[in-house]
Amino acid sequence: MKWGLDRGSDVSETGAKHRSTAEYERDLINHVEELEDTIEGLKKQIAKEERKLKSFTTMIVNLQNRKAEIDEEIAKIAKQFGEEGADSELLASRLEELRKEMETVQRKLNDRQKMLDDTTAMLSEAREKLDQLKNVEATTAERVNVLKREHAQMAKIANDDIMRKAEQQFSNIRGTYYK
């Protein structure tokens, strides 16, 4: 271990096996196709989550508006309690209805806010995963392109070599038979 290097693990331990360039290229192409399918699925999920996000946002705004309306009505009723000729029993009954509605609105508002937060988190995760997969896809696709270029170069070299040998043999045949 002069250079501090150790021999790698034994093939029987790792289970590694040799793949031809064609197998490797085919596996890379399959991997790129799988990544593309996953990316499309994530894009659909993101679109769905964005629609949900918009829906929850609208619901929250509507609930907040209703809460403000209830607050205004409660304030009006509170002013009427001291006025002459006001039906205190009717005002108290209406005030109780408004408080119950306020509790319901607040509960719905809390639920929708949690749904909005959950959807925002899921959307963020999906976008992050999409970015990661796009990077992996680009890298893998580039490897496929490199392999294709190398394959084309090797095929050209092989064809040139075959042509050179054929020309040499043809020349030898001519030299032998046409002297």
Side-chain angles (χ1 to χ4, degrees):
M1 316 242 188
K2 179 179 176 183
W3 304 104
L5 300 175
D6 291 329
R7 187 164 180 81
S9 300
D10 189 65
V11 172
S12 61
E13 293 174 14
T14 63
K17 51 185 169 177
H18 177 73
R19 291 187 295 175
S20 69
T21 304
E23 288 174 313
Y24 179 68
E25 185 176 326
R26 185 178 60 246
D27 290 346
L28 278 177
I29 289 170
N30 288 338
H31 186 64
V32 168
E33 289 171 354
E34 289 171 8
L35 286 172
E36 287 172 349
D37 291 343
T38 304
I39 287 171
E40 283 307 308
L42 276 172
K43 286 179 179 178
K44 288 177 183 176
Q45 180 186 356
I46 287 171
K48 178 183 172 187
E49 296 301 320
E50 286 174 340
R51 285 190 301 272
K52 283 171 59 177
L53 192 68
K54 184 177 179 182
S55 173
F56 291 137
T57 302
T58 302
M59 287 180 203
I60 287 171
V61 167
N62 291 339
L63 287 167
Q64 287 171 338
N65 290 340
R66 181 61 189 141
K67 187 177 173 184
E69 291 170 1
I70 293 171
D71 280 336
E72 283 180 30
E73 196 170 343
I74 288 174
K76 286 179 186 176
I77 290 173
K79 286 180 184 178
Q80 290 177 357
F81 261 114
E83 292 179 359
E84 215 177 290
D87 185 353
S88 295
E89 202 173 293
L90 183 64
L91 291 174
S93 174
R94 180 66 182 142
L95 192 58
E96 185 61 29
E97 288 174 11
L98 289 171
R99 286 194 174 132
K100 285 181 182 177
E101 185 179 355
M102 180 65 90
E103 287 175 12
T104 302
V105 167
Q106 188 60 51
R107 191 174 1 82
K108 287 180 179 180
L109 193 55
N110 292 341
D111 290 345
R112 298 313 181 277
Q113 186 61 50
K114 177 158 179 15
M115 291 175 182
L116 179 69
D117 294 343
D118 292 346
T119 301
T120 301
M122 287 174 33
L123 188 56
S124 178
E125 287 175 24
R127 285 180 176 152
E128 187 176 312
K129 189 172 183 178
L130 180 63
D131 289 342
Q132 290 171 352
L133 286 176
K134 283 182 177 180
N135 290 336
V136 170
E137 179 193 30
T139 302
T140 306
E142 181 56 32
R143 282 193 284 176
V144 168
N145 289 334
V146 167
L147 279 174
K148 286 180 178 179
R149 283 193 300 270
E150 288 175 356
H151 180 74
Q153 288 172 345
M154 296 303 275
K156 184 178 180 339
I157 290 170
N159 285 339
D160 289 349
D161 193 39
I162 289 169
M163 290 302 290
R164 217 176 349 229
K165 286 181 181 178
E167 286 174 6
Q168 188 178 22
Q169 286 183 351
F170 187 67
S171 176
N172 288 344
I173 290 171
R174 252 192 281 159
T176 303
Y177 293 108
Y178 298 111
K179 283 186 177 182

mmCIF file of all heavy atoms in Angstrom, residues 56-82:
data_model
loop_
_atom_site.group_PDB
_atom_site.id
_atom_site.type_symbol
_atom_site.label_atom_id
_atom_site.label_comp_id
_atom_site.label_asym_id
_atom_site.label_seq_id
_atom_site.Cartn_x
_atom_site.Cartn_y
_atom_site.Cartn_z
ATOM 1 N N PHE A 56 -58.014 27.442 -1.254
ATOM 2 C CA PHE A 56 -57.935 27.687 0.189
ATOM 3 C C PHE A 56 -57.754 29.175 0.483
ATOM 4 O O PHE A 56 -58.322 29.703 1.431
ATOM 5 C CB PHE A 56 -56.804 26.874 0.831
ATOM 6 C CG PHE A 56 -57.068 25.393 0.861
ATOM 7 C CD1 PHE A 56 -56.058 24.496 0.547
ATOM 8 C CD2 PHE A 56 -58.314 24.894 1.193
ATOM 9 C CE1 PHE A 56 -56.302 23.128 0.578
ATOM 10 C CE2 PHE A 56 -58.562 23.532 1.213
ATOM 11 C CZ PHE A 56 -57.548 22.638 0.908
ATOM 12 N N THR A 57 -56.967 29.844 -0.335
ATOM 13 C CA THR A 57 -56.752 31.280 -0.153
ATOM 14 C C THR A 57 -58.081 32.033 -0.298
ATOM 15 O O THR A 57 -58.393 32.904 0.512
ATOM 16 C CB THR A 57 -55.720 31.799 -1.166
ATOM 17 O OG1 THR A 57 -54.502 31.073 -1.005
ATOM 18 C CG2 THR A 57 -55.439 33.272 -0.978
ATOM 19 N N THR A 58 -58.857 31.664 -1.316
ATOM 20 C CA THR A 58 -60.164 32.303 -1.519
ATOM 21 C C THR A 58 -61.095 32.021 -0.338
ATOM 22 O O THR A 58 -61.785 32.923 0.146
ATOM 23 C CB THR A 58 -60.800 31.797 -2.832
ATOM 24 O OG1 THR A 58 -59.912 32.091 -3.911
ATOM 25 C CG2 THR A 58 -62.143 32.447 -3.085
ATOM 26 N N MET A 59 -61.109 30.763 0.116
ATOM 27 C CA MET A 59 -61.949 30.411 1.267
ATOM 28 C C MET A 59 -61.577 31.222 2.497
ATOM 29 O O MET A 59 -62.453 31.704 3.226
ATOM 30 C CB MET A 59 -61.817 28.918 1.587
ATOM 31 C CG MET A 59 -62.486 27.996 0.624
ATOM 32 S SD MET A 59 -62.194 26.295 1.183
ATOM 33 C CE MET A 59 -62.398 25.411 -0.331
ATOM 34 N N ILE A 60 -60.280 31.365 2.732
ATOM 35 C CA ILE A 60 -59.812 32.108 3.904
ATOM 36 C C ILE A 60 -60.237 33.569 3.818
ATOM 37 O O ILE A 60 -60.707 34.149 4.798
ATOM 38 C CB ILE A 60 -58.279 31.958 4.060
ATOM 39 C CG1 ILE A 60 -57.964 30.540 4.540
ATOM 40 C CG2 ILE A 60 -57.717 33.004 5.022
ATOM 41 C CD1 ILE A 60 -56.487 30.189 4.532
ATOM 42 N N VAL A 61 -60.090 34.159 2.642
ATOM 43 C CA VAL A 61 -60.498 35.564 2.464
ATOM 44 C C VAL A 61 -61.998 35.708 2.736
ATOM 45 O O VAL A 61 -62.423 36.625 3.445
ATOM 46 C CB VAL A 61 -60.131 36.065 1.044
ATOM 47 C CG1 VAL A 61 -60.813 37.390 0.729
ATOM 48 C CG2 VAL A 61 -58.623 36.197 0.904
ATOM 49 N N ASN A 62 -62.791 34.780 2.197
ATOM 50 C CA ASN A 62 -64.238 34.839 2.418
ATOM 51 C C ASN A 62 -64.582 34.682 3.911
ATOM 52 O O ASN A 62 -65.456 35.391 4.428
ATOM 53 C CB ASN A 62 -64.957 33.776 1.598
ATOM 54 C CG ASN A 62 -64.911 34.059 0.111
ATOM 55 O OD1 ASN A 62 -64.697 35.194 -0.308
ATOM 56 N ND2 ASN A 62 -65.096 33.030 -0.694
ATOM 57 N N LEU A 63 -63.915 33.764 4.582
ATOM 58 C CA LEU A 63 -64.166 33.569 6.018
ATOM 59 C C LEU A 63 -63.736 34.796 6.829
ATOM 60 O O LEU A 63 -64.422 35.190 7.779
ATOM 61 C CB LEU A 63 -63.450 32.309 6.521
ATOM 62 C CG LEU A 63 -64.073 30.977 6.076
ATOM 63 C CD1 LEU A 63 -63.123 29.824 6.356
ATOM 64 C CD2 LEU A 63 -65.417 30.751 6.752
ATOM 65 N N GLN A 64 -62.619 35.394 6.453
ATOM 66 C CA GLN A 64 -62.170 36.609 7.146
ATOM 67 C C GLN A 64 -63.170 37.754 6.933
ATOM 68 O O GLN A 64 -63.441 38.523 7.865
ATOM 69 C CB GLN A 64 -60.772 37.015 6.673
ATOM 70 C CG GLN A 64 -59.686 36.101 7.187
ATOM 71 C CD GLN A 64 -58.329 36.357 6.550
ATOM 72 O OE1 GLN A 64 -58.231 36.919 5.460
ATOM 73 N NE2 GLN A 64 -57.280 35.930 7.239
ATOM 74 N N ASN A 65 -63.695 37.850 5.731
ATOM 75 C CA ASN A 65 -64.720 38.870 5.451
ATOM 76 C C ASN A 65 -65.966 38.623 6.299
ATOM 77 O O ASN A 65 -66.532 39.568 6.861
ATOM 78 C CB ASN A 65 -65.086 38.899 3.970
ATOM 79 C CG ASN A 65 -63.974 39.450 3.110
ATOM 80 O OD1 ASN A 65 -63.074 40.143 3.594
ATOM 81 N ND2 ASN A 65 -64.009 39.135 1.828
ATOM 82 N N ARG A 66 -66.384 37.365 6.380
ATOM 83 C CA ARG A 66 -67.567 37.053 7.191
ATOM 84 C C ARG A 66 -67.297 37.354 8.663
ATOM 85 O O ARG A 66 -68.175 37.871 9.364
ATOM 86 C CB ARG A 66 -67.970 35.581 7.006
ATOM 87 C CG ARG A 66 -69.192 35.189 7.803
ATOM 88 C CD ARG A 66 -70.415 36.006 7.374
ATOM 89 N NE ARG A 66 -71.521 35.755 8.290
ATOM 90 C CZ ARG A 66 -72.372 36.677 8.709
ATOM 91 N NH1 ARG A 66 -72.291 37.916 8.261
ATOM 92 N NH2 ARG A 66 -73.320 36.364 9.550
ATOM 93 N N LYS A 67 -66.101 37.058 9.129
ATOM 94 C CA LYS A 67 -65.726 37.345 10.520
ATOM 95 C C LYS A 67 -65.810 38.854 10.790
ATOM 96 O O LYS A 67 -66.319 39.283 11.827
ATOM 97 C CB LYS A 67 -64.308 36.820 10.785
ATOM 98 C CG LYS A 67 -63.879 36.895 12.212
ATOM 99 C CD LYS A 67 -62.493 36.276 12.376
ATOM 100 C CE LYS A 67 -61.997 36.501 13.787
ATOM 101 N NZ LYS A 67 -60.639 36.012 13.977
ATOM 102 N N ALA A 68 -65.340 39.652 9.846
ATOM 103 C CA ALA A 68 -65.396 41.111 9.987
ATOM 104 C C ALA A 68 -66.847 41.589 10.020
ATOM 105 O O ALA A 68 -67.196 42.483 10.815
ATOM 106 C CB ALA A 68 -64.637 41.783 8.846
ATOM 107 N N GLU A 69 -67.693 40.993 9.166
ATOM 108 C CA GLU A 69 -69.113 41.352 9.162
ATOM 109 C C GLU A 69 -69.762 41.034 10.510
ATOM 110 O O GLU A 69 -70.554 41.826 11.041
ATOM 111 C CB GLU A 69 -69.849 40.602 8.046
ATOM 112 C CG GLU A 69 -69.493 41.043 6.651
ATOM 113 C CD GLU A 69 -70.051 40.104 5.575
ATOM 114 O OE1 GLU A 69 -70.741 39.100 5.922
ATOM 115 O OE2 GLU A 69 -69.774 40.357 4.393
ATOM 116 N N ILE A 70 -69.434 39.880 11.060
ATOM 117 C CA ILE A 70 -69.989 39.484 12.363
ATOM 118 C C ILE A 70 -69.522 40.445 13.449
ATOM 119 O O ILE A 70 -70.314 40.869 14.303
ATOM 120 C CB ILE A 70 -69.603 38.022 12.705
ATOM 121 C CG1 ILE A 70 -70.297 37.055 11.744
ATOM 122 C CG2 ILE A 70 -69.966 37.686 14.151
ATOM 123 C CD1 ILE A 70 -69.816 35.610 11.850
ATOM 124 N N ASP A 71 -68.229 40.795 13.407
ATOM 125 C CA ASP A 71 -67.700 41.761 14.386
ATOM 126 C C ASP A 71 -68.457 43.081 14.314
ATOM 127 O O ASP A 71 -68.785 43.673 15.351
ATOM 128 C CB ASP A 71 -66.201 42.005 14.153
ATOM 129 C CG ASP A 71 -65.324 40.912 14.733
ATOM 130 O OD1 ASP A 71 -65.779 40.217 15.674
ATOM 131 O OD2 ASP A 71 -64.177 40.756 14.255
ATOM 132 N N GLU A 72 -68.722 43.549 13.102
ATOM 133 C CA GLU A 72 -69.464 44.807 12.926
ATOM 134 C C GLU A 72 -70.874 44.688 13.511
ATOM 135 O O GLU A 72 -71.348 45.589 14.203
ATOM 136 C CB GLU A 72 -69.570 45.173 11.438
ATOM 137 C CG GLU A 72 -68.315 45.761 10.850
ATOM 138 C CD GLU A 72 -68.492 46.093 9.367
ATOM 139 O OE1 GLU A 72 -69.634 46.415 8.948
ATOM 140 O OE2 GLU A 72 -67.493 46.017 8.637
ATOM 141 N N GLU A 73 -71.542 43.579 13.222
ATOM 142 C CA GLU A 73 -72.899 43.394 13.721
ATOM 143 C C GLU A 73 -72.916 43.290 15.245
ATOM 144 O O GLU A 73 -73.809 43.834 15.902
ATOM 145 C CB GLU A 73 -73.535 42.148 13.082
ATOM 146 C CG GLU A 73 -75.039 42.121 13.254
ATOM 147 C CD GLU A 73 -75.718 41.028 12.428
ATOM 148 O OE1 GLU A 73 -75.112 40.494 11.486
ATOM 149 O OE2 GLU A 73 -76.880 40.737 12.759
ATOM 150 N N ILE A 74 -71.920 42.637 15.805
ATOM 151 C CA ILE A 74 -71.822 42.544 17.274
ATOM 152 C C ILE A 74 -71.632 43.937 17.868
ATOM 153 O O ILE A 74 -72.252 44.288 18.887
ATOM 154 C CB ILE A 74 -70.677 41.582 17.695
ATOM 155 C CG1 ILE A 74 -71.086 40.137 17.399
ATOM 156 C CG2 ILE A 74 -70.322 41.754 19.161
ATOM 157 C CD1 ILE A 74 -69.983 39.115 17.630
ATOM 158 N N ALA A 75 -70.789 44.741 17.221
ATOM 159 C CA ALA A 75 -70.556 46.102 17.709
ATOM 160 C C ALA A 75 -71.844 46.931 17.648
ATOM 161 O O ALA A 75 -72.147 47.689 18.583
ATOM 162 C CB ALA A 75 -69.452 46.766 16.890
ATOM 163 N N LYS A 76 -72.633 46.790 16.593
ATOM 164 C CA LYS A 76 -73.907 47.506 16.470
ATOM 165 C C LYS A 76 -74.879 47.076 17.573
ATOM 166 O O LYS A 76 -75.556 47.907 18.184
ATOM 167 C CB LYS A 76 -74.540 47.257 15.099
ATOM 168 C CG LYS A 76 -73.882 47.978 13.968
ATOM 169 C CD LYS A 76 -74.579 47.626 12.646
ATOM 170 C CE LYS A 76 -73.833 48.224 11.473
ATOM 171 N NZ LYS A 76 -74.432 47.827 10.180
ATOM 172 N N ILE A 77 -74.945 45.769 17.816
ATOM 173 C CA ILE A 77 -75.845 45.254 18.848
ATOM 174 C C ILE A 77 -75.419 45.758 20.222
ATOM 175 O O ILE A 77 -76.260 46.139 21.051
ATOM 176 C CB ILE A 77 -75.900 43.708 18.808
ATOM 177 C CG1 ILE A 77 -76.640 43.260 17.539
ATOM 178 C CG2 ILE A 77 -76.589 43.141 20.046
ATOM 179 C CD1 ILE A 77 -76.616 41.771 17.294
ATOM 180 N N ALA A 78 -74.111 45.797 20.462
ATOM 181 C CA ALA A 78 -73.603 46.279 21.752
ATOM 182 C C ALA A 78 -74.028 47.728 21.995
ATOM 183 O O ALA A 78 -74.364 48.113 23.114
ATOM 184 C CB ALA A 78 -72.094 46.138 21.815
ATOM 185 N N LYS A 79 -74.019 48.553 20.937
ATOM 186 C CA LYS A 79 -74.450 49.950 21.066
ATOM 187 C C LYS A 79 -75.949 50.043 21.348
ATOM 188 O O LYS A 79 -76.397 50.914 22.088
ATOM 189 C CB LYS A 79 -74.129 50.731 19.788
ATOM 190 C CG LYS A 79 -72.678 51.041 19.606
ATOM 191 C CD LYS A 79 -72.473 51.821 18.320
ATOM 192 C CE LYS A 79 -71.000 52.052 18.058
ATOM 193 N NZ LYS A 79 -70.805 52.754 16.785
ATOM 194 N N GLN A 80 -76.723 49.138 20.747
ATOM 195 C CA GLN A 80 -78.183 49.184 20.893
ATOM 196 C C GLN A 80 -78.650 48.755 22.291
ATOM 197 O O GLN A 80 -79.743 49.117 22.710
ATOM 198 C CB GLN A 80 -78.847 48.271 19.852
ATOM 199 C CG GLN A 80 -78.726 48.786 18.442
ATOM 200 C CD GLN A 80 -79.320 47.823 17.421
ATOM 201 O OE1 GLN A 80 -79.783 46.740 17.772
ATOM 202 N NE2 GLN A 80 -79.287 48.228 16.162
ATOM 203 N N PHE A 81 -77.830 48.022 23.029
ATOM 204 C CA PHE A 81 -78.227 47.544 24.354
ATOM 205 C C PHE A 81 -78.575 48.691 25.289
ATOM 206 O O PHE A 81 -79.484 48.580 26.084
ATOM 207 C CB PHE A 81 -77.126 46.676 24.994
ATOM 208 C CG PHE A 81 -77.370 45.201 24.860
ATOM 209 C CD1 PHE A 81 -76.527 44.414 24.099
ATOM 210 C CD2 PHE A 81 -78.455 44.601 25.478
ATOM 211 C CE1 PHE A 81 -76.748 43.061 23.957
ATOM 212 C CE2 PHE A 81 -78.678 43.240 25.344
ATOM 213 C CZ PHE A 81 -77.823 42.465 24.584
ATOM 214 N N GLY A 82 -77.884 49.766 25.207
ATOM 215 C CA GLY A 82 -78.147 50.877 26.118
ATOM 216 C C GLY A 82 -79.221 51.826 25.633
ATOM 217 O O GLY A 82 -79.628 52.734 26.355
#
